[in-house]
Amino acid sequence: MSKNIILKGITWNHSRGLLPMVATAQRFSELNTDVQITWEKRSLQQFADFSIQELAERFDLLVIDHPWAGFASKTKSIIPLDEYLPADYLKDQEINSVGASYESYNFNNHQWALPIDAATPVAASRPDILAEKGLSLPKSFDDLLILADKGLVAFAAIPIDVLMNFYTLCCSLGEDPCQSDDVVISTEIGVKALKMYLQLALKIDVRNFNRNPIQVYEAMTQSDAIAYCPFAYGYSNYSRNGYARKPLHFHDMISLDGKTNLRSTLGGTGLAISSKCENIAIAVEYAKFVGSPACQSSLYFESGGQPGHLAAWKNKEVNRQSQNYYLNTLPALERAFLRPRYHGSMFFQDHAGDVVRNYLMQGGDEYQVLADLNKLYQESKTLTLA
């Protein structure tokens, strides 16, 4: 190991995104005194939108969103970890994947990131508010509408989250989106999902159309106006004592048919290494450290992280400290839909949410919404590298 190796990393601006990376970097440097790792942060929106190719020019370590896997495969902006990590280590990661988290970073038979963080939209509640009003958790879509009529429901409705929840409704109605080359979803399922979505959206505060999941959870914990969120990407931080004014409890989601719970759209983050990194061997050792079950179940979680290794999700102490967040929501992770990751998928994701959000805010013709989505989808399939 050469002297004074410096690695720079980029992650996203939340306690869940930044603090575990800083903590693991500090500990890794204590164990490897010639290595210094620094982490910078970017906003949640930049995390979803900003090209990893540009970030890989400036940073050695990148915390990325899995829809970038196809882009990474084509640009080779990050390294295929399967060519650097031991096969038995990767096998453990695969076996202990939370849902499709490990698979989500695998594209064209290469592993482009380690799933250090696992998430999908789940339900959240303020049990104190529900108890005070003599209400119980909704079990069906009709229950949800009744609760929304009381002004107690919110969900994240910025464009990206609106699109992910549209996927959720489609999946839950029996058809996964983007399975054909030219149509996002069948007309029958698409129209039904849009109408259901609009029925609920008309009952929420318009301020939610400018809120991401973090902002919804902040609104739920900083005031006593919102008792329930039916679907938003889960953040276990808000279930921990002392993190927010009031703790949230997280749950599996409602059922549409009385039998099967909603099937949401997988999220989470992965740790990747830039192909421009000058100290790849050290960066790989750090990634191996962060993704290990021991770190994931202790230092990573205790520093505010939301682990991506199944051992942590089933760990008794991890669940004790988080109101059983992990055990309660694991079923939702295990059945979550793996969204498209082809090279042009980010173009579609960046624009399709606006189409659905405009419909939810202003109403309109469902057939035209689907036509506009199909046009964007077909365009995204024709994109090539510049």
Side-chain angles (χ1 to χ4, degrees), residues 78-95:
I78 56 180
I79 66 170
L81 292 176
D82 51 286
E83 296 182 0
Y84 296 86
L85 282 166
D88 59 345
Y89 181 91
L90 290 176
K91 191 63 179 177
D92 173 78
Q93 293 282 310
E94 182 180 10
I95 291 171

Side-chain angles (χ1 to χ4, degrees), residues 106-171:
N106 193 288
F107 199 87
N108 282 344
N109 298 314
H110 287 295
Q111 192 70 25
W112 299 100
L114 287 179
I116 59 169
D117 173 295
T120 200
V122 293
S125 73
R126 280 279 303 274
D128 57 324
I129 298 176
L130 291 174
E132 179 187 335
K133 296 183 180 296
L135 300 169
S136 57
L137 290 170
K139 295 181 179 179
S140 67
F141 193 74
D142 287 340
D143 291 344
L144 177 61
L145 294 178
I146 291 169
L147 192 60
D149 279 331
K150 299 179 185 297
L152 297 172
V153 172
F155 61 84
I158 62 169
I160 179 64
D161 292 286
V162 160
L163 181 63
M164 297 301 100
N165 293 332
F166 173 65
Y167 287 170
T168 290
L169 290 173
C170 291
C171 290

Side-chain angles (χ1 to χ4, degrees), residues 7-72:
L7 299 175
K8 295 193 301 179
I10 183 70
T11 184
W12 47 295
N13 184 19
H14 187 266
S15 299
R16 173 180 144 200
L18 177 65
L19 299 184
M21 306 318 296
V22 172
T24 53
Q26 177 63 28
R27 184 61 184 139
F28 187 82
S29 294
E30 291 167 357
L31 296 171
N32 302 273
T33 54
D34 295 327
V35 181
Q36 179 183 348
I37 302 174
T38 61
W39 282 95
E40 295 182 24
K41 58 188 179 181
R42 51 186 170 145
S43 73
L44 188 63
Q45 194 64 48
Q46 288 173 322
F47 171 75
D49 296 345
F50 203 77
S51 169
I52 63 170
Q53 188 170 23
E54 296 177 52
L55 293 172
E57 295 285 338
R58 299 165 44 208
F59 296 96
D60 303 291
L61 300 159
L62 296 84
V63 175
I64 68 169
D65 199 5
H66 67 254
W68 284 105
F71 180 89

Side-chain angles (χ1 to χ4, degrees), residues 38-349:
T38 61
W39 282 95
E40 295 182 24
K41 58 188 179 181
R42 51 186 170 145
S43 73
L44 188 63
Q45 194 64 48
Q46 288 173 322
F47 171 75
D49 296 345
F50 203 77
S51 169
I52 63 170
Q53 188 170 23
E54 296 177 52
L55 293 172
E57 295 285 338
R58 299 165 44 208
F59 296 96
D60 303 291
L61 300 159
L62 296 84
V63 175
I64 68 169
D65 199 5
H66 67 254
W68 284 105
F71 180 89
S73 174
K74 208 153 193 179
T75 63
K76 304 297 188 291
S77 48
I78 56 180
I79 66 170
L81 292 176
D82 51 286
E83 296 182 0
Y84 296 86
L85 282 166
D88 59 345
Y89 181 91
L90 290 176
K91 191 63 179 177
D92 173 78
Q93 293 282 310
E94 182 180 10
I95 291 171
N96 289 285
S97 175
V98 180
S101 295
Y102 181 84
E103 179 190 350
S104 71
Y105 299 99
N106 193 288
F107 199 87
N108 282 344
N109 298 314
H110 287 295
Q111 192 70 25
W112 299 100
L114 287 179
I116 59 169
D117 173 295
T120 200
V122 293
S125 73
R126 280 279 303 274
D128 57 324
I129 298 176
L130 291 174
E132 179 187 335
K133 296 183 180 296
L135 300 169
S136 57
L137 290 170
K139 295 181 179 179
S140 67
F141 193 74
D142 287 340
D143 291 344
L144 177 61
L145 294 178
I146 291 169
L147 192 60
D149 279 331
K150 299 179 185 297
L152 297 172
V153 172
F155 61 84
I158 62 169
I160 179 64
D161 292 286
V162 160
L163 181 63
M164 297 301 100
N165 293 332
F166 173 65
Y167 287 170
T168 290
L169 290 173
C170 291
C171 290
S172 304
L173 288 167
E175 185 181 333
D176 292 351
C178 305
Q179 300 304 300
S180 75
D181 289 334
D182 55 353
V183 174
V184 174
I185 197 76
S186 69
T187 301
E188 179 187 358
I189 295 296
V191 168
K192 191 172 182 179
L194 288 170
K195 286 183 175 179
M196 289 182 69
Y197 208 172
L198 180 61
Q199 190 178 8
L200 177 61
L202 291 173
K203 300 177 185 295
I204 68 165
D205 190 316
V206 293
R207 287 178 291 182
N208 288 296
F209 286 102
N210 293 309
R211 287 173 175 162
N212 61 29
I214 295 169
Q215 291 163 327
V216 168
Y217 296 141
E218 292 291 351
M220 290 182 74
T221 55
Q222 290 182 20
S223 74
D224 299 319
I226 306 167
Y228 187 76
C229 173
F231 33 59
Y233 283 96
Y235 279 74
S236 64
N237 309 77
Y238 294 92
S239 66
R240 305 187 199 194
N241 290 332
Y243 184 79
R245 171 180 162 268
K246 295 283 187 177
L248 297 178
H249 285 206
F250 288 84
H251 321 271
D252 204 343
M253 294 168 292
I254 62 166
S255 164
L256 292 186
D257 59 7
K259 299 176 183 177
T260 308
N261 296 72
L262 290 176
R263 184 171 176 230
S264 55
T265 308
L266 188 69
T269 66
L271 180 55
I273 299 170
S274 168
S275 56
K276 296 293 181 70
C277 177
E278 295 180 356
N279 296 284
I280 287 179
I282 303 303
V284 168
E285 285 303 308
Y286 171 67
K288 186 179 176 183
F289 171 72
V290 175
S292 68
C295 180
Q296 288 269 296
S297 300
S298 56
L299 179 61
Y300 188 89
F301 166 75
E302 290 160 6
S303 304
Q306 187 164 297
H309 196 284
L310 190 59
W313 281 69
K314 293 183 174 181
N315 183 282
K316 289 183 179 179
E317 182 60 19
V318 166
N319 278 283
R320 186 192 69 79
Q321 293 185 39
S322 61
Q323 319 274 1
N324 280 325
Y325 172 94
Y326 295 91
L327 289 177
N328 288 346
T329 63
L330 183 56
L333 270 292
E334 290 176 334
R335 65 173 182 272
F337 167 61
L338 181 55
R339 76 186 99 154
R341 296 168 298 146
Y342 61 90
H343 172 59
S345 64
M346 295 304 293
F347 171 84
F348 178 74
Q349 182 173 291

